[in-house]
Amino acid sequence: MNPSALVRLVLCCSFVSASAHAATVTELFGFPCTNAGYTCPDGADPDSLILASDGNFYGTTFDSRETSYGRATGLGGTVFKLTPSGQFTLLYTFQSNAQGHYPNGEAPGSLVEGPDGFLYGVASTGGQFSGLAVSQPGNVFKISKNGTGFQIVHTFCSLANCADGAFPAGVTLANDGNFYGTTDGGGSFQGQDCQSFGCGTVFRLALNGTFTVLHTLNGTTEGSLLGRLIQASDGNLYGPSSCQCGAGAPIFGAIVRMTLGAQFSVIYTFPFPQIPVTALTEGSNGLLYGASIEDVSGSKPGGIFQISKTGQFLQIHPFTLACTHSGGVAKVVQASDGNLWTTNPCDGGWGSVYSITVNGALLQTIYFNGTEGTSPDVLLQGSNGDLYGETYDGGKDSTGKTAFGVVFSINAGLPAPK
């Protein structure tokens, strides 16, 4: 997209002081769709974004909406590159075959840059359609930053009865040079709610492709649907579990810890019906931050929480998801100002980006109005201090037509990270 065509909007915001910087939102790229929104050659519904070592952004789109028309062929998501000025390059398309299946995967996400310079990610579904304990179990893939060299590094359900897992949720690069990840299915099929798809696994993937199952969720006290892990300053991995699984299980949502030596433990259990809905972030104070909601119909009350590595929990800021459109809460980011930033996809009708102190006091809110995107659900800070993110829907493409998700930046007057 030509930088001169960028849509720049100064939004009316709430600030704690009159001297606060007036935030400027820039739409960098809107994902174009035709055919009533069901033909999206660059993908639609962007859902992951990273800043790589070359200074460019790389991301994925969840799908292209082609299959909503029931066609035999379609696009099952894309990988793309975006420069800070908004120049878009489509790197890879997950294409279906004549039977409507996706042999190389579908619904990609969770990009991370490897020590070899390649991008690694997961296709959360797709692959072999029949003959497995779980159909279309997904994979871990790698691709170069110029879009060449796509390779499936590990296909799930490669072990008998999908003991290695199925439906990967994400991978994280740890300081030992290995990738650690989780799956939403496969592993044990013993729990009450795990009998169809499995309860999930935690795995390690070496750069040479060696795959090791580290832990299989038991379907009772450990829950299932593990989210993406992070490595904290103590060297351990932490992440959310968000499903009650197993007859009589006392767990609905949880925060778990896994050592690199495969010692798994639940450090906190959420009271019913709360579930954590984001990956965690470690603050400069050593505490972990995330978001949770009450998984009930209608308005979904929730909050930003902090938790120590030993399980001391405190909700520090409440919010409500009072909308019916899609999109989620972004992973909490501690920006260079020391404050926490995240999103609410429902706030103000079209969503917002807002900041709070590490103790939960609201500082400022930046509202979206639909023209620059709807339902912001991805957020990170760039090397220049600006915030970058994605909206699940809305926005404008380069011709001024309605887009199906955007990549945006926000100049909130933040200093560049040190």
Side-chain angles (χ1 to χ4, degrees), residues 29-32 44-46 373-374 391-395 403-407:
F29 181 79
F31 290 85
D45 308 335
T374 299
T391 68
Y392 179 83
D393 213 340
F404 284 75
V406 308
V407 181

Side-chain angles (χ1 to χ4, degrees), residues 49-51 57 333 378-382 386-389:
L49 191 70
I50 64 168
L51 177 62
F57 296 95
V333 174
V378 174
L379 196 67
L380 58 88
Q381 187 174 29
D386 288 354
L387 300 170
Y388 293 83

